[in-house]
Amino acid sequence: MTFQPEQLGQSKAVLASSLRELRKRVGLSQVRLAQRCNMSQTKLSNIETGRVGPSLVDVELILRVLKASPAEVVEVTSLARLAHTEWQSKRASWRTGLEKRQAELAGLESEATVLRYFLPAMVTGLLATPEYVKASLSGSPGDKSLTVARKLERQAVLYDTTKSFRFLLTEQDVRWPVLHRAAMAVQIDRLASLSHLPNVRIGLLPITSTEVRGPMNTFTVYDQHLTTVETFTGRLVFQDSRDVAAHLSIFEAYEQVALFDEDARCLLAEWASAFRS
């Protein structure tokens, strides 16, 4: 079964309908099925009407009790994973205003305690100089001054010591010439400076880090309950615990081979010096 990004939102209704039809086909009432699944009839009713999104554990339990066929298990489980995935189009963000996206990110950052950023392509706004932030928005339409201001305001969260920030940046990410040479050196100096914050850990992945596969997507993991993945045309938001766990595992694998602290700062100083020369 193939889904286009725009169809992701429909999966919740299709999942609810599929579970309801499977129950009816077996001939079980909601009350009997709820009893066998050890859940309330109200919860099951809400799942079948789409008012409540079931977890994958709920779906697997229902399918097991209903003795669904292997093909039905594959199809319904796929629907459940899609129901926990959201597509946010970049064009839609442009239409509603990029500054609103900054408000959404600020909300995620305020709620999370441990935030992990995997950055293979560009420096995130949290770590960027004002000049770098402006340059990163060069391909976006309209007046970007408010978006720049919101991005810079978000940087204050780095100084909240109740939170832990872990950044992994590839060499390409840090050295990609988004700005003129002198400004790139200043941007790299900022990374070194921020790495001294007690709750901020900045790791570098030089191009010689061959122990793991080549990096693919920019992604952020908020605690252990939500992951956002960036693409050229938008972003995917995963809330399925298995997808979040997979991204945590990827992050940890890269973290094992990254350079931190003085090793990272020495490398940053070398890269900044190369830009200045």
Side-chain angles (χ1 to χ4, degrees), residues 44-116:
L44 181 60
S45 175
N46 286 335
I47 288 173
E48 290 191 356
T49 56
R51 288 193 294 270
V52 169
S55 67
L56 270 179
V57 173
D58 290 333
V59 171
E60 290 172 351
L61 180 57
I62 291 170
L63 292 174
R64 188 159 58 246
V65 170
L66 294 177
K67 297 185 171 145
S69 69
E72 290 169 335
V73 169
V74 169
E75 182 168 349
V76 176
T77 302
S78 297
L79 284 170
R81 297 194 76 174
L82 285 168
H84 286 80
T85 304
E86 179 185 349
W87 169 252
Q88 297 176 348
S89 165
K90 187 164 288 187
R91 292 181 181 275
S93 294
W94 289 345
R95 285 195 300 270
T96 58
L98 291 174
E99 68 278 1
K100 293 183 179 178
R101 170 63 182 161
Q102 297 308 306
E104 293 172 5
L105 290 172
L108 289 172
E109 290 157 359
S110 68
E111 293 173 5
T113 302
V114 180
L115 302 94
R116 298 171 177 86

Side-chain angles (χ1 to χ4, degrees), residues 246-259:
H247 283 89
L248 281 171
S249 177
I250 292 168
F251 190 93
E252 289 166 2
Y254 281 106
E255 205 170 32
Q256 292 297 315
V257 298
L259 301 178

Side-chain angles (χ1 to χ4, degrees), residues 164-180:
S164 171
F165 295 88
R166 293 157 70 176
F167 299 92
L168 291 180
L169 300 87
T170 64
E171 180 174 345
Q172 172 181 295
D173 177 356
V174 177
R175 303 184 71 177
W176 191 264
V178 175
L179 301 166
H180 56 85

Side-chain angles (χ1 to χ4, degrees), residues 5-268:
E6 293 78 7
Q7 294 177 299
L8 287 175
Q10 302 173 14
S11 61
K12 294 179 181 179
V14 178
L15 173 62
S17 175
S18 297
L19 292 173
R20 185 172 61 251
E21 292 304 315
L22 278 174
R23 175 182 59 77
K24 290 181 177 179
R25 195 181 310 163
V26 172
L28 278 180
S29 67
Q30 276 190 353
V31 172
R32 290 290 301 280
L33 178 58
Q35 288 173 341
R36 294 189 184 184
C37 293
N38 197 28
M39 68 173 65
S40 70
Q41 189 268 333
T42 300
K43 177 179 178 179
L44 181 60
S45 175
N46 286 335
I47 288 173
E48 290 191 356
T49 56
R51 288 193 294 270
V52 169
S55 67
L56 270 179
V57 173
D58 290 333
V59 171
E60 290 172 351
L61 180 57
I62 291 170
L63 292 174
R64 188 159 58 246
V65 170
L66 294 177
K67 297 185 171 145
S69 69
E72 290 169 335
V73 169
V74 169
E75 182 168 349
V76 176
T77 302
S78 297
L79 284 170
R81 297 194 76 174
L82 285 168
H84 286 80
T85 304
E86 179 185 349
W87 169 252
Q88 297 176 348
S89 165
K90 187 164 288 187
R91 292 181 181 275
S93 294
W94 289 345
R95 285 195 300 270
T96 58
L98 291 174
E99 68 278 1
K100 293 183 179 178
R101 170 63 182 161
Q102 297 308 306
E104 293 172 5
L105 290 172
L108 289 172
E109 290 157 359
S110 68
E111 293 173 5
T113 302
V114 180
L115 302 94
R116 298 171 177 86
Y117 299 81
F118 184 72
L119 306 164
M122 286 188 72
V123 174
T124 176
L126 288 180
L127 303 177
T129 63
E131 195 168 0
Y132 192 101
V133 169
K134 292 175 186 175
S136 70
L137 294 169
S138 60
S140 305
D143 181 8
K144 297 175 280 289
S145 57
L146 188 56
T147 303
V148 171
R150 294 289 181 268
K151 275 180 172 281
L152 296 176
E153 286 173 6
R154 280 176 48 220
Q155 294 178 355
V157 75
L158 292 175
Y159 301 92
D160 182 349
T161 55
T162 65
K163 299 179 183 296
S164 171
F165 295 88
R166 293 157 70 176
F167 299 92
L168 291 180
L169 300 87
T170 64
E171 180 174 345
Q172 172 181 295
D173 177 356
V174 177
R175 303 184 71 177
W176 191 264
V178 175
L179 301 166
H180 56 85
R181 298 182 67 84
M184 283 300 300
V186 172
Q187 171 58 60
I188 295 173
D189 288 343
R190 174 169 170 76
L191 295 177
S193 176
L194 290 172
S195 73
H196 287 284
L197 291 175
N199 60 323
V200 174
R201 196 161 191 247
I202 295 179
L204 301 181
L205 293 161
I207 57 174
T208 53
S209 302
T210 56
E211 292 89 345
V212 290
R213 69 184 187 187
M216 297 177 68
N217 299 102
T218 295
F219 65 84
T220 305
V221 184
Y222 299 90
D223 291 328
Q224 297 184 3
H225 66 269
L226 188 145
T227 298
T228 62
V229 178
E230 302 287 336
T231 73
F232 276 110
T233 56
R235 66 189 59 84
L236 287 160
V237 181
F238 294 104
Q239 298 184 67
D240 181 341
S241 60
R242 298 182 190 185
D243 290 319
V244 176
H247 283 89
L248 281 171
S249 177
I250 292 168
F251 190 93
E252 289 166 2
Y254 281 106
E255 205 170 32
Q256 292 297 315
V257 298
L259 301 178
F260 291 94
D261 304 320
E262 285 306 314
D263 289 336
R265 286 189 280 271
C266 285
L267 194 54
L268 289 171

